[in-house]
Amino acid sequence: MLFSWRMLSVNHQKIPSLHINNICCCKRRASFNRLKPHILLGRNYSSLPGVRGKDIKSLHSIISPPIAKIRNIGIMAHIDAGKTTTTERILYYSGYTRSLGDVDDGDTVTDFMAQERERGITIQSAAVTFDWKGHRVNLIDTPGHVDFTLEVERCLRVLDGAVAVFDASAGVEAQTLTVWRQADKHNIPRICFLNKMDKTGASFTYSVESIREKLKAKPLLLQLPIGEAKTFKGLVDVVSKEKLLWNPNSDDGKDFERKPLLAMSDPELLKKTTEARNALIEQVADLDDEFADLVLGEFSENFDLLPAEKLQTAIHRVTVAQTAVPVLCGSALKNKGIQPLLDAITMYLPSPEERSYEFLQWYKDDLCALAFKVLHDKQRGPLVFMRIYSGTIKPQLAIHNINGNCTERLSRLLLPFADQHIEISSLTAGNIALTVGLKHTATGDTIVSSKSSALAAACRAEREGEKKHRHSHEAQRLVLAGVEIPEPVFFCTIEPPSVAKQPDLDHALKCLQREDPSLKVKLDPDSGQTILCGMGELHIEIIHDRIKREYGLETYLGPLQVAYRETILNAVRATDTLDRTLGDKRHLVTVELEASPMETSSVRPVIEYAENLSEELLKISQEAIENGIHGACLQGPLLGSPVQDVTITLHSLIVHPGTSTTMISACVSRCVQKALKKADKQVLEPLMHLEVTVSSDYLSPVLADLAQRRGNVQEIQTRQDNRVVTGFVPLAEMMGYSTVLRTLTSGSATFALELSNYQAMNPQDQRMLLNRRSGLA
């Protein structure tokens, strides 16, 4: 990472500023003492400690705020709803950037990777820290593309609140539903921002209705737009009954006026706002008992007398309780509505102390942090993003990783600002930090101050679990909070340019896997080739591009393959004996087991043991048996794909004294494979949930094309002037669909794909697939 002085002229004054080059494209290292001036190129962010420009803030001014003044929030939405543009405007108005970046120009703060700037999409989440009216806000801009769902998942895991951004012309879209479900899973309070109110076809009423119907949420209308589409010029604050109008001649949206609504000048707007405010008060009173008592007691005769502060406090309680979601509107691209959104973030979303985490009580005031993201920097090595839940973290601190069961020392502590960082001396609970020097920490690892601290926390959890009649392993699970990693659906081979470059490729893939746990790498046992497994075509394409740019390797990708699964249709018994003599030792194992299909879906095989098996023998060899079964189920007999939805029942196990556990594992594995081969087999293929948004003119060719792809259309909805087709299509039929859809609709349609489940292939399609794989077709 390069620290360099940049000379910047502001009002004919030279001000040094701190700039750190891209995490992903680091060029060289220089010590802080040997800094040399360079000519300023590109964007400018925060100033050096102690040196502040007239119009830009220093991150050092907000290093240690009280916990009540901290907000950890994420921006989440469907693709192209305007997340990154909204983030860019937030940074500009809060005083941390000098100019407004644009996604189309490729100069935004949070989209700093070369691939992000070229494609105009967010690929990996980026953290930025800023302050607004005395509050420290740690904001994370997340991707909207389904291939990068894990990025959203692991960020939501550590956030206290979220802003859901909607395209006001489309309302709730496919990926909006996905990220909303993820936020529900982690109990994240949300506020909704209806973006693109200036876009043709924008409808405030339609968007609010789609939130109510599709997300099953209760929207609280805190703002009303003044005009829609081309006539959008401002908004009304329902809570304070004021109108906010932006100066049409202002280039950056900083210039706007806030005026109280008067019966003389705006009779219609005042009437509409009063009705909306009364409806809002009634809605909040229904959800909050304390507010209901206040309204019925003092202000039952006239709601107009109710102070805005009392209503805002009640809205905050309702938002934190997740019984309703505040709704705001604006246009990030046209610089309207962002400042009120920032006010709402600090006013309605919770601080870390308002969120309850059950596992925290076991740690008391000791350090407890969660590593939720890892980046690799060529000079500094792994950079680990951490959310601190309790205690304090400092540089040169020795910490214990519970998941990896290892102790490491972090060398430096940084405050993140997209691809730039400010070094700090300590950080307290509630914050998000970036640490340098942790070589073994991965995504989802729990970090504590020491091994004894972890053991003490586990003991407290166990004691509490016994009081509540819980199992001790459940208490242990509370200590180890992690991130669920989805199974990949695509795979392909990857080859280095030469055999000599194989170690370099292995190193690159190892680094990328730590950064992105949804990327899986395995070795084909037959061909010895490296197999790359990912979440989609775009995901694998981005990985390939990153290997080329960041590691300088021209790799070759094989054809993209679909990750099929296999299962069995009937129960089969098998017996196997392994008899080997190694040196002067004889290893003899006889196994009898049964493989049977399961009614419920399970990716891993369910293992059962017959009652007549010796408990003592099981105690010694259970781990070896389970390793053998899991190993055998990784490669099915038809395609070599993982086997799922099976139950393996061990009926008999005879082990000669002195037989090694490796031999037991090998015998069990061979016996399971024998049983799977004898059974009637079935290939399962990934079935995708598809949503296509297309104009009425092109609906027929799109439906005809889906029918050819074995698609099953569920419904066709009307969204403004467009039609939204939802249905299910096998993933194998969706290769290159984006190009075909663009051709069919002259580039006007969009689509979103998401894995639904694995379904059985029909016999004809299965036969064709097997013939194709064996080279007969």
Side-chain angles (χ1 to χ4, degrees):
M1 194 68 65
L2 168 68
F3 281 91
S4 61
W5 286 94
R6 309 272 184 168
M7 301 309 293
L8 175 71
S9 175
V10 179
N11 299 333
H12 312 291
Q13 196 177 2
K14 286 187 178 179
I15 299 171
S17 71
L18 178 69
H19 181 80
I20 305 169
N21 276 356
N22 272 349
I23 288 174
C24 302
C25 310
C26 305
K27 295 178 181 174
R28 65 184 183 274
R29 193 178 198 169
S31 75
F32 207 74
N33 299 323
R34 298 196 305 269
L35 299 175
K36 295 179 182 177
H38 293 276
I39 295 165
L40 174 70
L41 295 168
R43 302 290 299 279
N44 302 284
Y45 307 107
S46 55
S47 305
L48 275 173
V51 185
R52 296 180 62 175
K54 288 184 179 177
D55 61 345
I56 202 158
K57 293 181 183 175
S58 163
L59 286 172
H60 283 266
S61 61
I62 48 159
I63 279 173
S64 298
I67 195 166
K69 295 287 185 180
I70 296 173
R71 299 288 181 273
N72 293 312
I73 64 156
I75 304 268
M76 59 182 205
H78 185 80
I79 314 147
D80 289 337
K83 297 178 296 299
T84 302
T85 305
T86 303
T87 306
E88 192 67 26
R89 299 311 184 257
I90 284 172
L91 289 173
Y92 180 71
Y93 296 130
S94 60
Y96 284 87
T97 54
R98 278 192 174 83
S99 58
L100 287 166
D102 195 290
V103 172
D104 297 330
D105 296 339
D107 62 351
T108 58
V109 174
T110 51
D111 284 356
F112 55 84
M113 282 172 65
Q115 294 90 337
E116 293 176 314
R117 292 187 165 180
E118 283 173 8
R119 296 163 192 264
I121 60 169
T122 302
I123 292 167
Q124 62 177 21
S125 52
V128 286
T129 299
F130 62 91
D131 72 318
W132 181 257
K133 296 185 179 177
H135 290 77
R136 146 83 75 78
V137 182
N138 296 314
L139 183 146
I140 295 180
D141 178 25
T142 62
H145 200 283
V146 69
D147 283 19
F148 310 107
T149 302
L150 181 69
E151 277 291 318
V152 185
E153 175 85 15
R154 61 181 173 178
C155 291
L156 287 175
R157 171 70 190 78
V158 297
L159 297 175
D160 301 318
V163 177
V165 180
F166 297 80
D167 180 339
S169 66
V172 175
E173 298 173 88
Q175 193 64 10
T176 318
L177 279 164
T178 305
V179 293
W180 196 270
R181 281 197 299 268
Q182 287 175 311
D184 281 340
K185 178 180 164 186
H186 295 293
N187 298 314
I188 306 287
R190 280 144 274 180
I191 57 177
C192 299
F193 179 63
L194 305 182
N195 191 24
K196 303 191 180 184
M197 282 303 302
D198 62 311
K199 189 178 173 181
T200 305
S203 169
F204 183 79
T205 310
Y206 170 79
S207 299
V208 170
E209 204 53 43
S210 72
I211 290 169
R212 186 178 285 114
E213 286 181 13
K214 292 184 180 178
L215 302 178
K216 306 295 183 235
K218 292 178 181 173
L220 302 174
L221 305 189
L222 306 189
Q223 293 175 352
L224 298 174
I226 301 174
E228 284 179 352
K230 288 181 181 177
T231 61
F232 178 67
K233 58 181 179 180
L235 48 92
V236 173
D237 187 332
V238 173
V239 177
S240 62
K241 289 168 74 172
E242 293 174 320
K243 66 176 179 180
L244 286 75
L245 294 174
W246 273 261
N247 184 346
N249 301 319
S250 172
D251 291 335
D252 62 2
K254 278 188 175 178
D255 187 12
F256 71 97
E257 56 180 348
R258 186 186 280 268
K259 289 181 179 175
L261 286 171
L262 301 171
M264 297 279 289
S265 54
D266 302 293
E268 283 298 315
L269 198 55
L270 179 62
K271 184 186 173 188
K272 191 178 173 185
T273 306
T274 305
E275 287 172 2
R277 190 175 193 263
N278 291 346
L280 176 66
I281 290 168
E282 287 174 11
Q283 208 177 347
V284 175
D286 285 343
L287 300 168
D288 187 81
D289 293 341
E290 188 182 329
F291 183 68
D293 293 341
L294 180 74
V295 170
L296 293 171
E298 295 178 47
F299 306 102
S300 56
E301 299 299 320
N302 189 354
F303 285 172
D304 290 343
L305 298 174
L306 181 73
E309 294 77 20
K310 298 280 186 188
L311 181 53
Q312 286 163 350
T313 306
I315 293 168
H316 173 82
R317 285 198 300 269
V318 165
T319 308
V320 173
Q322 297 166 61
T323 48
V325 286
V327 176
L328 300 98
C329 62
S331 169
L333 190 65
K334 294 296 166 66
N335 312 315
K336 294 182 175 80
I338 302 300
Q339 295 94 328
L341 174 63
L342 277 166
D343 291 337
I345 286 168
T346 56
M347 207 179 293
Y348 303 125
L349 289 178
S351 67
E353 63 184 357
E354 290 176 282
R355 299 270 288 148
S356 60
Y357 298 101
E358 196 176 348
F359 61 87
L360 273 193
Q361 60 185 307
W362 321 131
Y363 288 103
K364 299 191 174 176
D365 295 326
D366 282 346
L367 172 67
C368 175
L370 183 78
F372 67 94
K373 186 175 170 63
V374 180
L375 290 176
H376 271 85
D377 175 67
K378 287 186 180 176
Q379 268 70 41
R380 289 176 173 170
L383 304 172
V384 181
F385 281 89
M386 279 190 196
R387 162 68 195 269
I388 306 166
Y389 288 102
S390 67
T392 304
I393 199 164
K394 294 178 180 179
Q396 302 304 320
L397 182 74
I399 54 97
H400 180 70
N401 181 335
I402 297 182
N403 301 61
N405 193 23
C406 62
T407 299
E408 297 187 83
R409 186 175 295 277
L410 62 93
S411 56
R412 297 164 76 187
L413 192 61
L414 307 168
L415 203 58
F417 188 75
D419 63 332
Q420 301 192 70
H421 314 110
I422 302 292
E423 196 159 342
I424 49 175
S425 57
S426 70
L427 214 53
T428 53
N431 280 293
I432 287 173
L434 187 58
T435 60
V436 181
L438 303 180
K439 293 187 169 50
H440 304 291
T441 302
T443 296
D445 285 356
T446 304
I447 304 299
V448 295
S449 54
S450 64
K451 193 169 186 176
S452 58
S453 167
L455 291 171
C459 288
R460 288 186 205 113
E462 211 163 307
R463 279 200 301 271
E464 194 66 28
E466 284 168 10
K467 283 182 196 173
K468 296 180 181 177
H469 307 291
R470 287 182 183 167
H471 295 297
S472 59
H473 73 269
E474 204 169 313
Q476 187 73 2
R477 188 178 60 80
L478 294 170
V479 178
L480 306 170
V483 182
E484 281 183 30
I485 297 165
E487 288 294 316
V489 290
F490 271 115
F491 70 93
C492 66
T493 58
I494 183 166
E495 296 284 346
S498 65
V499 178
K501 294 286 184 183
Q502 185 67 47
D504 295 338
L505 176 61
D506 292 342
H507 171 70
L509 291 173
K510 188 181 175 184
C511 292
L512 290 169
Q513 270 186 287
R514 271 191 75 189
E515 287 186 29
D516 180 5
S518 64
L519 172 71
K520 302 280 172 69
V521 179
K522 59 184 183 183
L523 206 65
D524 188 307
D526 299 324
S527 64
Q529 289 178 301
T530 305
I531 309 287
L532 208 58
C533 309
M535 300 305 297
E537 289 181 78
L538 180 63
H539 187 201
I540 286 178
E541 196 182 320
I542 294 291
I543 293 295
H544 184 227
D545 194 32
R546 286 188 67 188
I547 291 170
K548 180 182 175 181
R549 289 184 195 231
E550 295 169 31
Y551 298 92
L553 290 171
E554 284 281 358
T555 53
Y556 307 108
L557 290 184
L560 217 54
Q561 307 276 342
V562 173
Y564 292 101
R565 301 269 174 84
E566 298 177 31
T567 191
I568 57 173
L569 302 174
N570 59 325
V572 174
R573 274 201 182 214
T575 307
D576 196 21
T577 301
L578 188 146
D579 189 356
R580 292 271 167 83
T581 304
L582 297 175
D584 58 348
K585 235 182 190 184
R586 188 185 182 196
H587 301 269
L588 176 62
V589 191
T590 302
V591 176
E592 185 185 351
L593 51 77
E594 182 182 26
S596 55
M598 281 175 65
E599 290 181 14
T600 54
S601 182
S602 171
V603 177
R604 292 171 72 83
V606 173
I607 302 166
E608 294 176 355
Y609 299 96
E611 289 179 8
N612 61 338
L613 285 172
S614 160
E615 280 189 26
E616 199 173 318
L617 181 61
L618 268 184
K619 202 173 181 181
I620 301 164
S621 52
Q622 187 170 354
E623 190 180 342
I625 293 165
E626 292 181 2
N627 286 342
I629 292 170
H630 289 308
C633 290
L634 287 175
Q635 284 194 303
L638 285 174
L639 297 169
S641 301
V643 179
Q644 69 173 49
D645 308 340
V646 293
T647 302
I648 306 293
T649 308
L650 188 68
H651 288 287
S652 169
L653 177 67
I654 301 165
V655 181
H656 186 273
T659 302
S660 73
T661 53
T662 310
M663 291 297 179
I664 296 171
S665 190
C667 184
V668 170
S669 180
R670 203 167 69 178
C671 192
V672 170
Q673 285 173 341
K674 193 185 282 187
L676 293 175
K677 279 177 186 172
K678 283 167 70 177
D680 294 333
K681 297 165 283 290
Q682 172 72 58
V683 175
L684 305 173
E685 63 177 346
L687 188 69
M688 309 302 284
H689 180 266
L690 172 72
E691 182 177 293
V692 183
T693 305
V694 60
S695 62
S696 306
D697 304 343
Y698 297 109
L699 182 62
S700 296
V702 167
L703 291 174
D705 179 63
L706 285 176
Q708 288 182 337
R709 294 172 186 272
R710 297 192 281 141
N712 178 11
V713 175
Q714 298 292 301
E715 63 175 335
I716 301 171
Q717 299 174 331
T718 302
R719 181 189 288 166
Q720 314 288 54
D721 300 328
N722 293 327
R723 298 288 179 270
V724 181
V725 180
T726 55
F728 297 98
V729 189
L731 178 61
E733 303 291 342
M734 297 304 289
M735 298 281 199
Y737 183 63
S738 56
T739 309
V740 174
L741 187 65
R742 275 199 298 270
T743 308
L744 286 173
T745 63
S746 303
S748 64
T750 60
F751 77 104
L753 270 183
E754 186 183 7
L755 179 66
S756 172
N757 64 326
Y758 274 81
Q759 73 162 14
M761 290 183 83
N762 66 50
Q764 185 186 349
D765 291 327
Q766 181 171 318
R767 198 160 47 248
M768 284 173 65
L769 173 68
L770 294 174
N771 287 340
R772 202 162 53 242
R773 285 290 180 93
S774 59
L776 298 174

